[in-house]
Amino acid sequence: MTVEHFTHLLDAHSSDLQRWPAAEREAATSLLETSDVARQAFLDAGRLDAALSAAPALRQGFEAPSPQLLRRVAEVPLRQPRRLGRKVWWPFKSAYAPMLALAAAVMCGLFVGNLAFPASAETALDEGVSELSDDELDELAEIAFASDGSVGLGDDVWSGSEETAP
Amino acid sequence: MPGSEDLEAAAPLMQQIAEGDARAYRALVDAHLGAILVYAQRLLGSREEAEEVAQETFLRAWQHAESYRPEFRVSTWLHTIAHNLAVDRLRKKRPLAASDALEEVPGSARPPSVLLERKETVLAVQAALERLPERQRAALTLTHHQGLSHAEAALVLGVGVDAVESLVARARRNLRELLAPLGSGTKGNIEP
């Protein structure tokens, strides 16, 4: 084990070798016996650990839970009884919220649909047709209704046969 | 101490709580409230807010006991709830960038090797700890003070074990940098 790897492990796992990966402990112990640099780093880490452990005890306000807090926390079951058998956690407080959400989604869909296909579009089409003259309407009917009664352009048109060519 | 928790005893206790057993819940509170309160206080730096987080943590534990998974320690599960609540508060209080900024640690003119044995230096260590970036402070606190393993801290923080090792290592290096100038009056560089 190199000193560099040793100090890396020291930073990651503290000076308590029991917290180190088991596979690294033996090599670390051997290095400590031979390297002054590793030993110094180990001592420094130990001081930092000692200071870290002591700090909260001296810091004002890190006392045990007060009796008032303990009572408030302990009384949670009295204030908020559990609903037994509940398996699925529902994020809403009651059923009206999702129902409102569904209704809002439907209304939103209707609104967007109305924007995309306004009712006036059909009227506009009708108006466009009514502006055609009688001759134009007849021509349109000929195109739409073939003489044999079939609807639309005949298959021959699409096949490009000579018989249907003008 | 979280490390002494018996996994085999935890599962039936949580099952009882899930069935609405208030006595089992009280046992949970007695065993873990102190540790959760201290952890929240270390993250938030405010006793009042820590008490609110601790109370909310146990309320959620009571309400969602059925979501506890017995392969984890109850302590890890409770720390996860408390951590998320505390971080939510921190992020509402101040932007993430600001929470990662480090403030100057109170200095002193005496050599660190002497000062480390003195109360004011221990307080300086605590002040330095409170000025670490949020995730580094959480990782160091969980592993050093709360007695969680790196794997358990990784669960609480929602990161991998390697990330926890990196956070702890950077936290310790930053603490050394913050405390080293105590004797010289200069300030070291801090890793984000």
Side-chain angles (χ1 to χ4, degrees), chain A residues 79-103:
Chain A
R79 285 185 274 112
Q80 309 225 11
R82 277 183 60 87
R83 278 178 285 169
L84 298 181
R86 180 178 53 184
K87 293 295 180 191
V88 178
W89 180 61
W90 183 250
F92 302 105
K93 288 181 179 175
S94 61
Y96 78 88
M99 292 304 290
L100 278 177
L102 180 64

mmCIF file of all heavy atoms in Angstrom, chain A residues 79-103:
data_model
loop_
_atom_site.group_PDB
_atom_site.id
_atom_site.type_symbol
_atom_site.label_atom_id
_atom_site.label_comp_id
_atom_site.label_asym_id
_atom_site.label_seq_id
_atom_site.Cartn_x
_atom_site.Cartn_y
_atom_site.Cartn_z
ATOM 1 N N ARG A 79 -53.416 11.980 17.779
ATOM 2 C CA ARG A 79 -53.900 13.071 16.936
ATOM 3 C C ARG A 79 -54.205 12.600 15.504
ATOM 4 O O ARG A 79 -55.080 13.139 14.847
ATOM 5 C CB ARG A 79 -52.865 14.206 16.911
ATOM 6 C CG ARG A 79 -52.856 15.026 18.200
ATOM 7 C CD ARG A 79 -51.923 16.213 18.108
ATOM 8 N NE ARG A 79 -50.560 15.818 18.458
ATOM 9 C CZ ARG A 79 -49.558 15.772 17.604
ATOM 10 N NH1 ARG A 79 -49.755 16.080 16.357
ATOM 11 N NH2 ARG A 79 -48.355 15.409 17.994
ATOM 12 N N GLN A 80 -53.428 11.627 15.037
ATOM 13 C CA GLN A 80 -53.601 11.161 13.652
ATOM 14 C C GLN A 80 -53.665 9.631 13.632
ATOM 15 O O GLN A 80 -52.682 8.988 13.283
ATOM 16 C CB GLN A 80 -52.436 11.636 12.799
ATOM 17 C CG GLN A 80 -52.186 13.126 12.935
ATOM 18 C CD GLN A 80 -51.965 13.794 11.595
ATOM 19 O OE1 GLN A 80 -52.192 13.220 10.544
ATOM 20 N NE2 GLN A 80 -51.509 15.026 11.649
ATOM 21 N N PRO A 81 -54.811 9.047 14.005
ATOM 22 C CA PRO A 81 -54.926 7.582 14.007
ATOM 23 C C PRO A 81 -54.682 7.012 12.610
ATOM 24 O O PRO A 81 -55.055 7.635 11.613
ATOM 25 C CB PRO A 81 -56.374 7.338 14.452
ATOM 26 C CG PRO A 81 -56.816 8.611 15.067
ATOM 27 C CD PRO A 81 -56.050 9.696 14.400
ATOM 28 N N ARG A 82 -54.052 5.850 12.589
ATOM 29 C CA ARG A 82 -53.789 5.195 11.302
ATOM 30 C C ARG A 82 -55.071 4.599 10.755
ATOM 31 O O ARG A 82 -55.920 4.127 11.498
ATOM 32 C CB ARG A 82 -52.773 4.055 11.482
ATOM 33 C CG ARG A 82 -51.348 4.490 11.483
ATOM 34 C CD ARG A 82 -50.465 3.270 11.587
ATOM 35 N NE ARG A 82 -50.696 2.375 10.462
ATOM 36 C CZ ARG A 82 -50.069 2.467 9.291
ATOM 37 N NH1 ARG A 82 -49.171 3.400 9.117
ATOM 38 N NH2 ARG A 82 -50.325 1.630 8.321
ATOM 39 N N ARG A 83 -55.201 4.609 9.418
ATOM 40 C CA ARG A 83 -56.307 3.888 8.773
ATOM 41 C C ARG A 83 -55.794 2.503 8.454
ATOM 42 O O ARG A 83 -54.950 2.338 7.585
ATOM 43 C CB ARG A 83 -56.760 4.620 7.522
ATOM 44 C CG ARG A 83 -57.713 5.758 7.850
ATOM 45 C CD ARG A 83 -58.107 6.507 6.608
ATOM 46 N NE ARG A 83 -57.018 7.357 6.146
ATOM 47 C CZ ARG A 83 -56.995 7.961 4.968
ATOM 48 N NH1 ARG A 83 -57.990 7.782 4.138
ATOM 49 N NH2 ARG A 83 -55.995 8.733 4.608
ATOM 50 N N LEU A 84 -56.270 1.530 9.196
ATOM 51 C CA LEU A 84 -55.739 0.176 9.067
ATOM 52 C C LEU A 84 -56.092 -0.436 7.721
ATOM 53 O O LEU A 84 -57.134 -0.148 7.140
ATOM 54 C CB LEU A 84 -56.286 -0.708 10.190
ATOM 55 C CG LEU A 84 -55.891 -0.252 11.593
ATOM 56 C CD1 LEU A 84 -56.453 -1.205 12.639
ATOM 57 C CD2 LEU A 84 -54.386 -0.159 11.727
ATOM 58 N N GLY A 85 -55.186 -1.289 7.248
ATOM 59 C CA GLY A 85 -55.423 -1.994 5.994
ATOM 60 C C GLY A 85 -55.120 -1.164 4.771
ATOM 61 O O GLY A 85 -55.299 -1.608 3.649
ATOM 62 N N ARG A 86 -54.639 0.072 4.994
ATOM 63 C CA ARG A 86 -54.327 0.921 3.849
ATOM 64 C C ARG A 86 -53.053 0.412 3.178
ATOM 65 O O ARG A 86 -52.023 0.295 3.795
ATOM 66 C CB ARG A 86 -54.118 2.355 4.342
ATOM 67 C CG ARG A 86 -53.785 3.315 3.228
ATOM 68 C CD ARG A 86 -53.639 4.711 3.781
ATOM 69 N NE ARG A 86 -52.691 4.731 4.883
ATOM 70 C CZ ARG A 86 -52.433 5.812 5.592
ATOM 71 N NH1 ARG A 86 -53.078 6.913 5.356
ATOM 72 N NH2 ARG A 86 -51.544 5.781 6.566
ATOM 73 N N LYS A 87 -53.154 0.088 1.921
ATOM 74 C CA LYS A 87 -52.001 -0.454 1.205
ATOM 75 C C LYS A 87 -51.421 0.541 0.207
ATOM 76 O O LYS A 87 -50.244 0.530 -0.084
ATOM 77 C CB LYS A 87 -52.397 -1.739 0.466
ATOM 78 C CG LYS A 87 -52.745 -2.889 1.399
ATOM 79 C CD LYS A 87 -51.541 -3.339 2.195
ATOM 80 C CE LYS A 87 -51.889 -4.482 3.126
ATOM 81 N NZ LYS A 87 -50.828 -4.757 4.081
ATOM 82 N N VAL A 88 -52.301 1.382 -0.333
ATOM 83 C CA VAL A 88 -51.840 2.319 -1.353
ATOM 84 C C VAL A 88 -51.858 3.726 -0.779
ATOM 85 O O VAL A 88 -52.860 4.158 -0.222
ATOM 86 C CB VAL A 88 -52.752 2.252 -2.595
ATOM 87 C CG1 VAL A 88 -52.300 3.265 -3.644
ATOM 88 C CG2 VAL A 88 -52.760 0.849 -3.172
ATOM 89 N N TRP A 89 -50.734 4.401 -0.892
ATOM 90 C CA TRP A 89 -50.667 5.760 -0.375
ATOM 91 C C TRP A 89 -51.230 6.706 -1.410
ATOM 92 O O TRP A 89 -50.759 6.749 -2.543
ATOM 93 C CB TRP A 89 -49.215 6.115 -0.051
ATOM 94 C CG TRP A 89 -49.092 7.512 0.492
ATOM 95 C CD1 TRP A 89 -49.658 8.019 1.613
ATOM 96 C CD2 TRP A 89 -48.342 8.582 -0.081
ATOM 97 N NE1 TRP A 89 -49.320 9.330 1.779
ATOM 98 C CE2 TRP A 89 -48.515 9.699 0.754
ATOM 99 C CE3 TRP A 89 -47.545 8.704 -1.224
ATOM 100 C CZ2 TRP A 89 -47.923 10.925 0.495
ATOM 101 C CZ3 TRP A 89 -46.953 9.923 -1.478
ATOM 102 C CH2 TRP A 89 -47.129 11.020 -0.624
ATOM 103 N N TRP A 90 -52.269 7.430 -1.044
ATOM 104 C CA TRP A 90 -52.928 8.355 -1.950
ATOM 105 C C TRP A 90 -52.466 9.764 -1.612
ATOM 106 O O TRP A 90 -52.633 10.214 -0.486
ATOM 107 C CB TRP A 90 -54.451 8.226 -1.771
ATOM 108 C CG TRP A 90 -55.218 9.087 -2.714
ATOM 109 C CD1 TRP A 90 -55.953 10.192 -2.429
ATOM 110 C CD2 TRP A 90 -55.316 8.899 -4.127
ATOM 111 N NE1 TRP A 90 -56.506 10.703 -3.559
ATOM 112 C CE2 TRP A 90 -56.130 9.942 -4.625
ATOM 113 C CE3 TRP A 90 -54.794 7.970 -5.020
ATOM 114 C CZ2 TRP A 90 -56.430 10.069 -5.975
ATOM 115 C CZ3 TRP A 90 -55.093 8.108 -6.362
ATOM 116 C CH2 TRP A 90 -55.900 9.138 -6.830
ATOM 117 N N PRO A 91 -51.850 10.447 -2.534
ATOM 118 C CA PRO A 91 -51.244 11.725 -2.216
ATOM 119 C C PRO A 91 -52.236 12.847 -1.950
ATOM 120 O O PRO A 91 -51.876 13.874 -1.415
ATOM 121 C CB PRO A 91 -50.392 12.040 -3.456
ATOM 122 C CG PRO A 91 -51.039 11.280 -4.551
ATOM 123 C CD PRO A 91 -51.630 10.059 -3.932
ATOM 124 N N PHE A 92 -53.516 12.649 -2.349
ATOM 125 C CA PHE A 92 -54.500 13.699 -2.122
ATOM 126 C C PHE A 92 -55.237 13.447 -0.813
ATOM 127 O O PHE A 92 -55.378 12.320 -0.379
ATOM 128 C CB PHE A 92 -55.502 13.748 -3.270
ATOM 129 C CG PHE A 92 -54.858 13.978 -4.604
ATOM 130 C CD1 PHE A 92 -54.716 12.934 -5.512
ATOM 131 C CD2 PHE A 92 -54.364 15.223 -4.939
ATOM 132 C CE1 PHE A 92 -54.122 13.139 -6.738
ATOM 133 C CE2 PHE A 92 -53.761 15.435 -6.163
ATOM 134 C CZ PHE A 92 -53.638 14.399 -7.066
ATOM 135 N N LYS A 93 -55.765 14.537 -0.233
ATOM 136 C CA LYS A 93 -56.418 14.391 1.060
ATOM 137 C C LYS A 93 -57.767 13.692 0.922
ATOM 138 O O LYS A 93 -58.192 12.975 1.786
ATOM 139 C CB LYS A 93 -56.594 15.765 1.702
ATOM 140 C CG LYS A 93 -55.279 16.338 2.197
ATOM 141 C CD LYS A 93 -55.459 17.678 2.845
ATOM 142 C CE LYS A 93 -54.117 18.203 3.343
ATOM 143 N NZ LYS A 93 -54.196 19.546 3.869
ATOM 144 N N SER A 94 -58.492 13.920 -0.154
ATOM 145 C CA SER A 94 -59.785 13.266 -0.334
ATOM 146 C C SER A 94 -60.036 13.062 -1.820
ATOM 147 O O SER A 94 -59.250 13.482 -2.660
ATOM 148 C CB SER A 94 -60.892 14.124 0.284
ATOM 149 O OG SER A 94 -60.932 15.363 -0.370
ATOM 150 N N ALA A 95 -61.191 12.415 -2.150
ATOM 151 C CA ALA A 95 -61.434 12.031 -3.544
ATOM 152 C C ALA A 95 -61.819 13.214 -4.417
ATOM 153 O O ALA A 95 -61.729 13.143 -5.628
ATOM 154 C CB ALA A 95 -62.530 10.973 -3.585
ATOM 155 N N TYR A 96 -62.264 14.331 -3.816
ATOM 156 C CA TYR A 96 -62.748 15.414 -4.664
ATOM 157 C C TYR A 96 -61.630 16.029 -5.505
ATOM 158 O O TYR A 96 -61.872 16.488 -6.625
ATOM 159 C CB TYR A 96 -63.445 16.500 -3.826
ATOM 160 C CG TYR A 96 -62.513 17.435 -3.108
ATOM 161 C CD1 TYR A 96 -62.037 18.590 -3.730
ATOM 162 C CD2 TYR A 96 -62.096 17.181 -1.811
ATOM 163 C CE1 TYR A 96 -61.180 19.450 -3.076
ATOM 164 C CE2 TYR A 96 -61.237 18.033 -1.170
ATOM 165 C CZ TYR A 96 -60.792 19.173 -1.797
ATOM 166 O OH TYR A 96 -59.938 20.011 -1.147
ATOM 167 N N ALA A 97 -60.406 15.985 -4.985
ATOM 168 C CA ALA A 97 -59.301 16.606 -5.722
ATOM 169 C C ALA A 97 -59.042 15.898 -7.059
ATOM 170 O O ALA A 97 -58.995 16.561 -8.099
ATOM 171 C CB ALA A 97 -58.049 16.632 -4.851
ATOM 172 N N PRO A 98 -58.895 14.544 -7.079
ATOM 173 C CA PRO A 98 -58.704 13.898 -8.376
ATOM 174 C C PRO A 98 -59.913 14.047 -9.305
ATOM 175 O O PRO A 98 -59.753 14.126 -10.523
ATOM 176 C CB PRO A 98 -58.462 12.423 -8.016
ATOM 177 C CG PRO A 98 -58.897 12.268 -6.622
ATOM 178 C CD PRO A 98 -58.739 13.591 -5.963
ATOM 179 N N MET A 99 -61.133 14.088 -8.742
ATOM 180 C CA MET A 99 -62.308 14.279 -9.578
ATOM 181 C C MET A 99 -62.262 15.653 -10.244
ATOM 182 O O MET A 99 -62.586 15.804 -11.427
ATOM 183 C CB MET A 99 -63.583 14.149 -8.726
ATOM 184 C CG MET A 99 -63.835 12.748 -8.197
ATOM 185 S SD MET A 99 -63.908 11.509 -9.498
ATOM 186 C CE MET A 99 -65.440 11.956 -10.263
ATOM 187 N N LEU A 100 -61.851 16.636 -9.479
ATOM 188 C CA LEU A 100 -61.721 17.988 -10.041
ATOM 189 C C LEU A 100 -60.661 18.004 -11.125
ATOM 190 O O LEU A 100 -60.817 18.654 -12.164
ATOM 191 C CB LEU A 100 -61.351 18.979 -8.932
ATOM 192 C CG LEU A 100 -62.500 19.504 -8.073
ATOM 193 C CD1 LEU A 100 -61.962 20.410 -6.978
ATOM 194 C CD2 LEU A 100 -63.498 20.273 -8.947
ATOM 195 N N ALA A 101 -59.553 17.266 -10.875
ATOM 196 C CA ALA A 101 -58.461 17.220 -11.852
ATOM 197 C C ALA A 101 -58.948 16.599 -13.159
ATOM 198 O O ALA A 101 -58.630 17.084 -14.250
ATOM 199 C CB ALA A 101 -57.285 16.429 -11.289
ATOM 200 N N LEU A 102 -59.754 15.523 -13.038
ATOM 201 C CA LEU A 102 -60.282 14.856 -14.225
ATOM 202 C C LEU A 102 -61.215 15.793 -14.995
ATOM 203 O O LEU A 102 -61.139 15.925 -16.226
ATOM 204 C CB LEU A 102 -61.025 13.575 -13.807
ATOM 205 C CG LEU A 102 -61.643 12.761 -14.944
ATOM 206 C CD1 LEU A 102 -60.549 12.234 -15.869
ATOM 207 C CD2 LEU A 102 -62.451 11.596 -14.383
ATOM 208 N N ALA A 103 -62.079 16.473 -14.249
ATOM 209 C CA ALA A 103 -63.015 17.406 -14.889
ATOM 210 C C ALA A 103 -62.251 18.525 -15.594
ATOM 211 O O ALA A 103 -62.602 18.929 -16.719
ATOM 212 C CB ALA A 103 -63.963 17.986 -13.840
#
